[in-house]
C-alpha cells in the first residue's frame, strides 16, 4: 500500500497514468468495503453467506433495490444448483459493478413524501393505521407481519392511532444521519 | 359504456397503479432502513464478542506474567518465596478435621435486627421458596446461613458421581438452563415462567452461575437450597467460572468481600471446597449429554467418571504431584494454556510466536538479548527492594497456618494433596472450556487459552462412541439465547439475557420430555426494552459497544498514532479513510469490519481525509482526564486493567481491599518490565499521589481502580439500579420442536 501511495504521489503530474492508478486504488478500496460487509455475515469464515442475508448486505452498502430487483441480483450470483449459500467470489464482481454504476440509488426524501401523499387519499396529512396496514400488506411487495409490526411500532402515534407521515419521515431522516 | 366509463376505468387503473408504485417505494425504502439497522446490530454484536474474547486473552497473558516471574525471579530466601507465593492462590483443600474449626458457622451469631431470611436444617421446600422471595426483595442472607448452606451443599455433593445420570421417567420434563452469571433477574424469571423446582419439575443448571453479574451469591444460595431440598430432581454442573482463580478476575470474589466484610474470607474458602465437588456432567436417559463447555476428540466418558474431580480445584493451573527436590524444574507449574490468537485474524497478534507447543508457560519469543539485560537489571533492583520491603509486610499469616502449594517449593511434606494426572486434568479442561466450530477437526482453543475448538466430525464421533443423541452445552453468549450447530447435534443454551448490555441478547432455556425433543423458551428480563422501538434498542446497545470500543482505542493511542503517521507521507496530518481502516486493524487485531464501522467512529472528515491527531485527542478527552499523569501511563493502565485488578486482588490475600504502597510499586515494576513499558518510579509515585489514599501507606484497591475509571460499568451502583428494573418481562415465547 505504501508503494502504491508513492506511485500516486509521483504520478500526480502525469494526468493519464495518475488517473488509471487512482482508479485502481479506488477499485481496491471498493472491493475491500464489499468484502468487509460480506464477512460480517460469513459465520463460518469460509467466504460464503446464507442467501437470506444477501439483501441486508446489498442494502447496507448503500443500494435500495426493490424485492424484485433483489431477486434478480441474487439469481445472478447463485450457484447453478442453488445451495442456499452465496460465495464471495461471485458476489464481489457483481457488487462492484452495481456500486460503480450507482444502481439502485436511495430514494430522495421528497419522493417518499409524495408516495405517502398518494396513499393519503383523503389528503388529511395522515394515514389511519388500517390504511397503512392495508397498503403495506396488500399492495406493492407486501410486508410480512413482522415487518408491519416493526414499522407501526415507530410510525404509529398511539394517541390518535394514525401515522403522521411528515413527522415520521422527518424522524427517520434524522436517524439515518 | 363509451368514453365515460373507459376514462373512469382508466382513472381507477391509474390510481391503483400509482398506489401500487407508492407502496413499492415505501417498502423499498423501509427495507433498506431495516437492513442498515441489522448491519449495525451485527457489528455491535461483533464488537462485544471481540472485546470479550480479548478479555479472555488477558487471563492468559496474566499467566504468562506469572510464569515469567517463576522463570526469571528466583527467590533466594524464605521471605522472598513467601512474598511470591502471595501471587499464587493457595490451592489446598481443608482436611475434614480442619473443616469444623475453619467453617464454624454455628458460632456466628445472627443479630436481632437482622431482617433477612432464616434458614434451618433439614431444609424444606418452603425455606428455598422463602429465599427466592427474600432475594426478590433485595434482602441479603446472613453469613451464618451462607456458610451453613455451603457446608450442607458440600456434604451432599461429595457423594455424587462425576456424571449425573438422570431420567425423564421420574418427572415429566427436564428443564436445562445455561449460564446465569450472577443475573438474579433471569433466574427469578425462569422460575416465574417455568415454575419452581418440584418433584414433577426437574432442572439442570449447566454451570457459570457466578461472576460478572451482581447477585452471584444469591443465585448460588437458591440453587444449592433447591438442590438440597429436591436432590433427585435438581442438578448442577460445574462451569469454568466455578473456580476461585477465575472469580478473582471476573467479580465474584469482589462481590463476596463487599457483601460479607467480616466473614467473606471464610465464605470464599468454603466456596472453593464446594465448587470442586460439583459434578462435571449430566446425562439424560443415557442419550443427551449436558456439559458446560464442550468436548474434544479425546473426550473419554469412562475416564471422566472415574477421576477424582475434587482434586481439580482450579482448571486454570495444573500442578503436578510434588516431586523430590531434584526435580524442582519439573514440578514447576505447567500451564496447558497456550499462546493466543486473535479470534478472527489468522496471523498471531502481539508478540507471541505461533509455533509453540503445549508448554506455553514461558516468555514470548521476541525476547531480544537487550531485553534480557533490562530484565536482569530490573530483577536485581526489585530483589533489592523486596529485601527492604520485607520488613513492612506481615507474613505471619502464611508462615505457620497453611503450607503452600507454591510450585517452586518441593517440600515433601507440604501436604498430602495428590494431584490428578495431566491427562485427567486435560479431560476436565476440555469439558469446561471448549467451543464448537463449523469446520471439521479439533484444534486448540487459542481464543480462551484452554480447551479446544471441536468440529462436527468430533461431535459425531463422540455421539456415536457413547450412543448419544445430542449435546447440550453453554459457555457462549448467543443473541437469541440459544443456537444449534453441527447439524442440530449441539445445542448451546445461554440463560443470561442482556449479558453485554440491556437489549444485547435474549436468554433461553430448553425443556425435554421423554421424547427428548428440545423445546426452547426465550426471554429478556428487562421491561424497558419493550417500550423501545427496534431502532432505539439497537442504538442503545450499539452506543454501549462503541463506548467500550473507543476506550480500547484510547488504550492503544500511541500505537495508533505511530501507524497513522506511517501513512501520512507528506506530513500533512491527514490520512485517507482507507489507510485509517488498515491501520486500525494492524494495531488492534480485533478483526472488526472497520470500513463498516467507520461512520460511527469517525465523524469529521474533510474531502474524505481524516485529521488523525485531533481524532486521537477527541478519543482521549472522552476518558477521564488526569492531566498530571503521563498519557502513556494511562494507556498502559487501561490496556491492562483487568490483569492489574486481578493481581492486586491476589496480593491482597486477606481480602482487606488494601495493599501496601510497596507491594503496589513492586508489582508495577515487575509488570511493566514484563509488558516492556518504560515506567519510571517517579510516575508511579505521581499516580499514587493523585489519589488521596492516606491510609497508613496503603492503597485501597477499589479506590484506585475507580479513580482511573478502571472499574467496568456493571459495577457502578447507580447505573445498575437504573437499568435493571425489578420487573421482568417475557418478550417472546417461542416453543420450537426439532428433528
Amino acid at each position: 500500500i505504501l508503494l502504491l501511495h508513492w506511485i500516486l504521489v509521483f504520478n500526480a503530474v502525469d494526468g493519464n497514468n495518475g488517473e488509471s492508478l487512482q482508479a485502481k486504488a479506488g477499485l481496491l478500496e471498493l472491493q475491500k468495503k464489499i468484502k468487509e460487509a460480506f464477512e460480517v455475515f460469513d459465520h463460518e469464515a469460509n467466504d460464503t453467506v446464507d442467501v437470506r442475508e444477501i439483501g441486508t448486505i446489498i442494502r447496507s452498502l448503500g443500494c435500495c433495490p426493490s424485492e424484485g430487483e433483489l431477486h434478480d441480483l441474487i439469481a445472478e450470483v447463485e450457484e447453478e444448483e442453488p445451495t442456499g449459500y452465496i460465495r464471495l467470489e461471485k458476489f464481489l464482481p457483481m457488487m462492484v459493478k452495481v456500486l460503480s454504476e450507482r444502481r439502485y440509488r436511495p430514494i430522495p426524501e421528497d419522493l417518499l413524501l409524495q408516495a405517502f401523499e398518494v396513499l393519503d387519499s383523503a389528503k388529511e396529512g395522515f394515514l389511519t393505521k388500517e390504511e397503512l396496514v392495508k397498503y403495506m400488506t396488500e399492495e406493492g411487495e407486501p410486508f410480512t407481519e413482522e415487518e408491519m409490526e416493526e414499522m407501526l411500532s415507530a410510525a404509529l402515534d398511539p394517541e390518535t392511532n394514525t401515522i403522521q407521515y411528515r413527522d415520521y419521515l422527518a424522524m427517520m431522516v434524522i436517524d439515518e444521519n | 359504456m363509451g368514453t365515460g366509463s373507459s376514462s373512469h376505468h382508466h382513472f381507477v387503473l391509474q390510481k391503483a397503479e400509482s398506489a401500487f408504485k407508492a407502496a413499492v417505494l415505501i417498502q423499498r425504502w423501509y427495507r433498506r432502513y431495516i437492513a442498515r439497522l441489522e448491519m449495525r446490530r451485527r457489528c455491535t454484536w461483533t464488537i462485544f464478542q471481540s472485546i470479550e474474547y480479548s478479555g479472555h486473552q488477558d487471563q492468559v497473558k496474566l499467566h504468562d506474567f506469572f510464569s515469567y516471574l517463576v522463570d526469571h525471579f528466583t527467590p533466594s530466601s524464605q521471605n522472598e518465596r513467601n512474598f511470591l507465593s502471595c501471587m499464587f492462590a493457595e490451592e489446598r483443600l481443608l482436611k475434614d478435621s480442619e473443616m469444623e474449626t475453619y467453617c464454624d458457622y454455628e458460632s456466628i451469631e445472627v443479630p436481632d435486627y437482622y431482617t433477612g431470611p432464616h434458614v434451618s436444617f433439614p431444609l424444606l421446600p418452603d425455606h428455598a421458596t422463602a429465599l427466592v422471595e427474600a432475594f426478590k426483595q433485595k434482602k441479603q442472607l446472613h453469613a451464618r446461613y451462607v456458610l451453613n448452606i455451603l457446608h450442607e451443599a458440600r456434604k451432599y455433593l461429595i457423594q455424587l458421581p462425576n456424571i449425573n445420570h438422570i431420567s425423564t421417567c421420574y418427572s415429566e420434563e427436564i428443564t436445562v438452563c445455561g449460564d446465569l452469571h450472577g443475573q438474579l433477574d433471569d433466574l427469578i424469571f425462569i422460575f416465574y415462567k417455568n415454575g419452581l423446582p418440584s418433584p414433577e419439575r426437574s432442572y439442570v443448571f449447566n454451570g457459570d452461575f457466578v461472576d460478572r453479574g451482581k447477585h452471584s451469591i444469591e443465585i448460588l444460595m437458591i440453587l444449592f437450597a433447591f438442590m438440597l431440598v429436591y436432590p433427585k430432581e435438581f442438578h448442577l454442573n460445574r462451569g469454568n467460572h466455578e473456580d476461585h482463580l477465575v472469580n478473582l478476575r471476573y467479580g465474584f470474589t469482589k462481590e463476596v468481600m463487599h457483601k460479607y466484610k467480616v466473614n467473606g474470607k471464610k465464605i470464599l474458602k468454603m466456596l472453593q471446597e464446594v465448587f470442586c465437588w460439583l459434578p462435571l456432567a449430566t446425562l439424560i436417559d443415557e442419550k443427551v449429554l449436558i456439559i458446560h463447555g464442550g468436548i474434544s476428540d479425546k473426550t473419554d466418558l469412562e475416564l471422566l467418571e472415574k477421576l477424582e474431580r475434587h482434586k481439580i480445584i482450579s482448571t486454570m493451573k495444573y500442578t503436578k504431584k510434588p516431586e523430590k527436590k531434584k526435580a524442582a524444574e519439573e514440578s514447576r507449574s505447567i500451564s496447558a494454556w497456550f499462546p493466543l490468537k486473535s479470534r478472527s485474524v489468522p496471523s498471531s497478534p502481539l508478540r507471541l510466536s505461533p509455533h509453540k507447543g503445549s508448554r506455553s508457560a514461558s516468555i514470548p519469543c521476541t525476547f531480544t538479548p537487550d531485553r534480557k539485560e533490562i530484565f536482569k537489571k530490573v530483577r536485581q533492583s526489585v530483589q533489592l527492594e523486596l529485601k527492604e520491603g520485607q520488613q513492612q509486610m506481615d507474613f505471619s499469616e502464611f508462615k505457620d497456618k497453611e503450607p503452600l502449594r507454591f510450585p517452586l517449593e518441593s517440600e515433601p511434606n507440604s501436604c498430602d494433596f495428590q494431584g490428578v494426572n495431566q491427562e485427567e486434568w486435560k479431560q476436565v479442561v476440555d469439558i469446561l472450556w471448549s467451543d464448537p466450530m463449523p469446520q471439521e477437526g479439533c484444534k486448540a482453543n487459542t481464543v480462551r487459552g484452554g480447551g479446544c475448538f471441536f468440529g462436527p466430525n468430533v461431535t459425531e464421533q463422540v455421539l456415536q462412541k457413547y450412543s448419544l443423541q445430542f449435546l447440550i452445552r453453554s459457555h457462549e453468549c448467543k443473541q437469541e439465547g440459544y443456537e444449534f450447530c453441527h447439524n442440530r447435534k449441539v445445542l448451546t443454551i445461554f440463560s443470561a439475557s442482556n449479558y453485554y448490555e440491556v437489549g444485547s441478547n435474549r436468554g433461553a432455556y430448553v425443556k425435554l420430555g421423554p421424547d427428548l425433543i428440545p423445546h426452547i423458551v426465550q426471554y429478556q428480563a428487562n421491561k424497558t426494552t419493550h417500550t423501545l422501538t427496534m431502532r432505539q434498542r439497537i442504538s442503545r446497545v450499539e452506543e454501549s459497544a462503541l463506548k467500550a470500543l473507543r476506550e480500547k482505542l484510547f488504550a492503544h493511542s500511541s500505537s495508533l498514532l505511530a501507524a497513522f503517521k506511517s501513512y501520512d507521507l507528506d506530513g500533512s496530518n491527514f490520512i485517507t479513510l482507507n489507510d485509517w481502516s488498515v491501520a486500525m486493524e494492524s494495531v488492534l487485531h480485533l478483526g472488526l469490519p472497520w470500513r463498516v464501522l467507520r461512520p460511527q467512529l469517525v465523524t469529521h472528515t474533510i474531502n474524505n481525509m481524516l485529521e488523525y491527531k485531533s481524532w486521537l485527542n477527541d478519543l482521549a478527552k472522552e476518558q477521564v482526564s488526569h492531566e498530571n499523569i503521563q498519557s502513556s501511563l494511562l494507556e498502559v493502565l487501561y490496556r491492562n486493567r483487568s490483569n492489574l485488578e486481578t493481581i492486586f486482588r491476589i496480593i491482597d490475600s486477606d481480602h482487606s481491599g488494601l495493599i501496601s504502597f510497596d507491594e503496589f510499586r513492586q508489582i508495577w515494576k515487575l509488570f511493566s518490565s514484563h509488558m516492556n513499558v518504560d515506567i519510571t518510579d517517579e510516575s508511579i509515585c505521581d499516580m499514587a499521589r493523585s489519589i488521596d489514599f492516606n491510609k497508613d501507606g496503603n492503597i485501597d484497591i477499589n479506590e484506585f481502580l475507580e479513580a482511573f475509571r478502571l472499574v467496568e460499568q456493571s459495577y457502578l451502583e447507580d447505573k445498575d439500579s437504573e437499568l435493571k428494573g425489578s420487573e421482568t418481562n417475557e418478550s417472546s415465547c417461542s416453543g420450537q420442536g426439532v428433528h
Side-chain angles (χ1 to χ4, degrees):
Chain A
I1 300 228
L2 243 74
L3 184 62
L4 192 60
H5 212 103
W6 268 115
I7 293 173
L8 280 174
V9 170
F10 210 65
N11 286 325
V13 186
D14 185 343
N16 235 0
N17 247 347
E19 234 179 72
S20 70
L21 274 166
Q22 260 190 2
K24 259 199 183 147
L27 175 64
L28 214 64
E29 177 54 12
L30 191 59
Q31 286 176 332
K32 281 195 206 162
K33 198 169 154 198
I34 297 169
K35 189 161 186 280
E36 240 191 32
F38 188 89
E39 280 171 354
V40 173
F41 291 88
D42 177 10
H43 304 301
E44 301 188 10
N46 59 359
D47 287 343
T48 66
V49 150
D50 189 321
V51 66
R52 291 166 292 185
E53 321 235 60
I54 287 290
T56 308
I57 299 174
I58 294 178
R59 288 172 169 134
S60 74
L61 284 167
C63 301
C64 199
S66 67
E67 290 288 290
E69 288 164 333
L70 188 61
H71 286 139
D72 291 340
L73 287 173
I74 291 179
E76 264 182 60
V77 294
E78 251 180 341
E79 305 296 323
E80 265 149 37
E81 305 247 348
T83 58
Y85 287 95
I86 304 292
R87 287 183 295 134
L88 177 63
E89 58 185 7
K90 284 195 136 184
F91 181 75
L92 193 59
M94 181 274 286
M95 205 61 221
V96 166
K97 198 150 173 277
V98 165
L99 286 179
S100 1
E101 290 173 8
R102 299 175 68 79
R103 278 159 49 187
Y104 316 119
R105 298 267 80 213
I107 302 158
E109 205 184 322
D110 51 354
L111 210 61
L112 258 179
L113 190 57
Q114 270 183 49
F116 274 102
E117 284 170 345
V118 164
L119 300 181
D120 178 12
S121 45
K123 301 288 170 249
E124 297 186 69
F126 63 83
L127 287 171
T128 66
K129 180 179 171 189
E130 290 71 30
E131 278 180 304
L132 184 68
V133 172
K134 176 166 159 300
Y135 281 120
M136 291 295 108
T137 58
E138 294 176 22
E139 293 283 350
E141 294 173 322
F143 272 173
T144 61
E145 212 181 297
E146 215 188 311
E147 284 173 312
M148 192 68 249
E149 246 184 73
E150 179 42 51
M151 182 185 231
L152 282 174
S153 72
L156 189 67
D157 171 16
E159 285 174 29
T160 56
N161 229 27
T162 62
I163 289 91
Q164 306 287 333
Y165 51 82
R166 272 182 186 274
D167 294 339
Y168 174 56
L169 275 181
M171 180 186 80
M172 295 291 266
V173 165
I174 296 177
D175 263 2
E176 292 277 279
N177 310 334
Chain B
M1 163 146 170
T3 45
S5 73
S6 81
S7 74
H8 172 76
H9 199 58
H10 185 64
F11 172 70
V12 169
L13 259 178
Q14 249 193 347
K15 190 161 177 254
E17 232 185 74
S18 51
F20 184 92
K21 280 195 186 145
V24 173
L25 204 74
I26 295 174
Q27 288 151 347
R28 234 177 88 191
W29 159 78
Y30 189 74
R31 284 173 171 136
R32 174 163 180 256
Y33 171 76
I34 293 296
R36 290 177 80 190
L37 269 186
E38 177 60 23
M39 178 59 100
R40 279 166 63 188
R41 190 177 82 120
R42 287 245 144 240
C43 285
T44 299
W45 185 254
T46 310
I47 293 175
F48 276 132
Q49 294 239 286
S50 76
I51 291 183
E52 176 172 26
Y53 284 124
S54 86
H56 291 319
Q57 296 172 359
D58 277 350
Q59 180 89 43
V60 185
K61 276 191 240 167
L62 187 66
H63 276 270
D64 264 1
F65 171 56
F66 287 157
S67 311
Y68 158 73
L69 286 181
V70 168
D71 287 346
H72 281 253
F73 187 75
T74 324
S76 53
S77 75
Q78 180 67 37
N79 275 347
E80 281 179 349
R81 237 179 273 143
N82 283 343
F83 170 70
L84 262 192
S85 72
C86 286
M87 306 223 219
F88 295 83
E90 312 148 20
E91 278 197 358
R92 190 183 70 87
L93 294 179
L94 297 170
K95 295 194 220 130
D96 281 331
S97 52
E98 292 171 302
M99 185 71 66
E100 298 301 327
T101 38
Y102 193 84
C103 173
D104 178 22
Y105 55 87
E106 271 165 16
S107 64
I108 302 176
E109 285 208 17
V110 179
D112 289 329
Y113 55 78
Y114 171 70
T115 57
H118 294 267
V119 153
S120 61
F121 284 81
L123 215 51
L124 297 172
D126 281 348
H127 289 132
T129 319
L131 273 183
V132 179
E133 281 310 307
F135 292 150
K136 257 198 218 165
Q137 289 160 39
K138 316 256 182 252
K139 306 271 189 201
Q140 182 171 305
L141 186 64
H142 195 273
R144 178 202 170 109
Y145 299 131
V146 174
L147 286 166
N148 200 353
I149 290 181
L150 289 178
H151 196 74
E152 295 297 317
R154 177 180 173 274
K155 262 178 23 193
Y156 168 72
L157 287 171
I158 287 179
Q159 26 112 27
L160 288 183
N162 292 347
I163 301 183
N164 276 324
H165 293 255
I166 67 180
S167 175
T168 50
C169 64
Y170 291 134
S171 56
E172 279 166 21
E173 57 186 8
I174 301 180
T175 304
V176 182
C177 302
D179 296 25
L180 284 170
H181 282 303
Q183 298 188 184
L184 185 60
D185 285 346
D186 288 305
L187 180 59
I188 289 178
F189 179 76
I190 293 172
F191 284 162
Y192 159 73
K193 174 121 181 109
N194 196 46
L196 287 170
S198 72
E200 292 80 41
R201 198 174 290 114
S202 285
Y203 274 95
V204 178
F205 281 86
N206 198 13
D208 277 13
F209 321 122
V210 301
D211 277 332
R212 295 186 189 270
K214 298 197 77 178
H215 299 102
S216 301
I217 192 73
E218 283 79 25
I219 287 189
L220 274 189
M221 289 298 104
I222 293 176
L223 294 179
F224 288 149
F226 278 114
M227 176 184 78
L228 292 168
V229 168
Y230 296 119
K232 288 235 245 344
E233 295 82 17
F234 200 87
H235 311 278
L236 302 176
N237 281 348
R238 190 176 185 184
N240 61 307
H241 278 259
E242 275 68 58
D243 180 328
H244 67 282
L245 283 182
V246 178
N247 298 151
L248 269 169
R249 166 185 292 275
Y250 287 105
F252 186 34
T253 309
K254 180 175 171 171
E255 178 190 327
V256 171
M257 289 315 300
H258 176 71
K259 288 178 178 170
Y260 296 100
K261 296 185 167 53
V262 175
N263 293 295
K265 198 170 175 213
K266 278 196 185 148
I267 294 177
L268 288 174
K269 186 67 187 166
M270 263 317 280
L271 281 166
Q272 269 187 50
E273 302 277 333
V274 175
F275 283 163
C276 66
W277 278 109
L278 284 168
L280 300 170
T282 299
L283 198 52
I284 302 182
D285 290 347
E286 305 300 306
K287 289 267 156 247
V288 180
L289 181 63
I290 310 176
I291 60 265
H292 175 75
I295 51 175
S296 78
D297 53 357
K298 303 274 192 306
T299 292
D300 182 343
L301 290 184
E302 280 116 24
L303 190 59
L304 281 166
E305 297 246 38
K306 283 200 297 231
L307 58 85
E308 296 181 87
R309 71 179 188 271
H310 68 288
K311 292 197 169 159
I312 299 173
I313 306 183
S314 165
T315 50
M316 295 238 63
K317 188 164 76 86
Y318 168 69
T319 345
K320 271 170 72 172
K321 304 180 192 186
E323 305 281 346
K324 299 246 172 58
K325 276 213 165 156
K326 209 165 72 162
E329 276 291 317
E330 284 138 41
S331 71
R332 195 172 297 177
S333 171
I334 299 169
S335 175
W337 295 76
F338 32 72
L340 310 157
K341 261 178 166 192
S342 154
R343 165 165 249 231
S344 43
V345 179
S347 60
S348 65
L350 309 174
R351 290 114 64 198
L352 297 171
S353 100
H355 70 263
K356 287 265 190 72
S358 56
R359 220 196 127 196
S360 85
S362 45
I363 300 103
C365 267
T366 54
F367 226 72
T368 65
D370 307 88
R371 239 174 257 178
K372 280 202 167 130
E373 275 308 302
I374 299 176
F375 286 129
K376 217 184 186 179
K377 285 204 183 119
V378 171
R379 197 184 81 204
Q380 281 164 354
S381 73
V382 171
Q383 273 175 316
L384 210 58
E385 286 188 49
L386 276 178
K387 287 206 167 80
E388 292 166 23
Q390 290 328 291
Q391 289 99 48
Q392 298 180 35
M393 289 193 246
D394 178 28
F395 285 115
S396 56
E397 209 182 310
F398 302 111
K399 269 194 194 142
D400 304 307
K401 272 203 187 143
E402 291 138 327
L404 296 151
R405 274 225 52 76
F406 188 72
L408 282 187
E409 290 177 85
S410 32
E411 293 150 21
N413 65 337
S414 57
C415 65
D416 55 17
F417 177 89
Q418 300 290 309
V420 291
N421 68 48
Q422 194 165 19
E423 193 199 345
E424 291 171 333
W425 181 74
K426 191 169 183 303
Q427 287 277 332
V428 177
V429 171
D430 284 343
I431 293 286
L432 261 35
W433 287 86
S434 300
D435 294 309
M437 66 174 175
Q439 299 85 7
E440 306 265 298
C442 188
K443 58 182 189 180
N445 191 329
T446 46
V447 169
R448 297 195 191 261
C452 62
F453 285 123
F454 61 98
N457 57 328
V458 175
T459 300
E460 197 52 48
Q461 174 200 327
V462 170
L463 289 181
Q464 271 194 27
K465 183 171 176 192
Y466 298 105
S467 308
L468 304 171
Q469 274 183 25
F470 62 98
L471 299 178
I472 299 181
R473 44 90 63 176
S474 305
H475 198 40
E476 283 184 292
C477 182
K478 296 293 175 191
Q479 269 199 300
E480 293 300 313
Y482 76 99
E483 191 174 272
F484 282 101
C485 67
H486 294 189
N487 207 17
R488 296 191 89 101
K489 298 288 175 73
V490 175
L491 168 62
T492 301
I493 195 89
F494 193 84
S495 301
S497 67
N498 304 319
Y499 180 63
Y500 292 122
E501 172 56 76
V502 174
S504 67
N505 64 288
R506 289 178 161 147
Y509 55 86
V510 59
K511 297 160 76 86
L512 295 167
D515 54 6
L516 296 181
I517 294 181
H519 292 265
I520 314 256
V521 177
Q522 296 168 291
Y523 55 86
Q524 203 153 11
N526 188 298
K527 212 168 122 190
T528 359
T529 49
H530 286 287
T531 58
L532 302 174
T533 63
M534 175 157 80
R535 177 197 70 80
Q536 286 167 322
R537 257 179 281 140
I538 292 179
S539 289
R540 193 182 201 173
V541 188
E542 185 185 39
E543 190 43 51
S544 175
L546 289 174
K547 192 153 191 254
L549 184 57
R550 281 195 294 263
E551 211 180 84
K552 230 181 162 50
L553 299 185
F554 166 72
H556 291 87
S557 297
S558 317
S559 316
L560 283 173
L561 184 63
F564 292 153
K565 277 202 172 134
S566 74
Y567 287 105
D568 178 18
L569 298 166
D570 53 3
S572 61
N573 285 335
F574 280 86
I575 51 170
T576 67
L577 293 174
N578 177 38
D579 291 340
W580 175 86
S581 308
V582 177
M584 293 294 277
E585 184 55 27
S586 73
V587 169
L588 292 156
H589 302 291
L590 289 171
L592 291 174
W594 297 107
R595 288 167 191 81
V596 179
L597 291 171
R598 204 263 314 147
Q600 322 275 65
L601 293 170
V602 175
T603 43
H604 301 293
T605 57
I606 303 175
N607 289 339
N608 261 358
M609 302 274 277
L610 168 67
E611 211 263 272
Y612 54 90
K613 283 191 185 150
S614 48
W615 182 71
L616 285 171
N617 276 338
D618 287 341
L619 269 184
K621 273 198 214 129
E622 204 191 321
Q623 313 302 325
V624 177
S625 66
H626 288 265
E627 284 106 26
N628 51 335
I629 307 298
Q630 278 172 270
S631 64
S632 61
L633 181 58
L634 256 185
E635 261 182 69
V636 174
L637 276 174
Y638 272 75
R639 254 203 313 277
N640 298 289
R641 70 166 179 209
S642 60
N643 278 348
L644 280 175
E645 179 174 358
T646 311
I647 294 175
F648 289 155
R649 292 198 189 284
I650 293 177
I651 301 276
D652 174 29
S653 49
D654 63 353
H655 303 293
S656 62
L658 301 172
I659 58 174
S660 78
F661 181 54
D662 272 310
E663 285 169 308
F664 174 80
R665 239 178 57 210
Q666 278 146 22
I667 283 302
W668 227 169
K669 280 196 113 146
L670 285 168
F671 193 74
S672 55
S673 74
H674 171 65
M675 303 306 285
N676 194 31
V677 180
D678 203 14
I679 304 275
T680 62
D681 221 18
E682 205 190 312
S683 49
I684 298 178
C685 290
D686 280 342
M687 186 170 42
R689 242 182 271 131
S690 78
I691 333 161
D692 184 20
F693 70 98
N694 286 326
K695 296 182 170 82
D696 309 316
N698 283 329
I699 293 182
D700 181 314
I701 301 174
N702 287 324
E703 246 181 54
F704 172 74
L705 294 170
E706 278 171 30
F708 289 94
R709 265 202 31 214
L710 297 179
V711 179
E712 285 173 37
Q713 281 296 328
S714 60
Y715 287 155
L716 294 176
E717 246 84 38
D718 32 331
K719 179 151 186 169
D720 181 69
S721 52
E722 178 205 339
L723 285 179
K724 302 228 173 182
S726 50
E727 291 176 65
T728 60
N729 200 312
E730 36 209 294
S731 67
S732 79
C733 171
S734 54
Q736 284 187 24
V738 145
H739 286 246

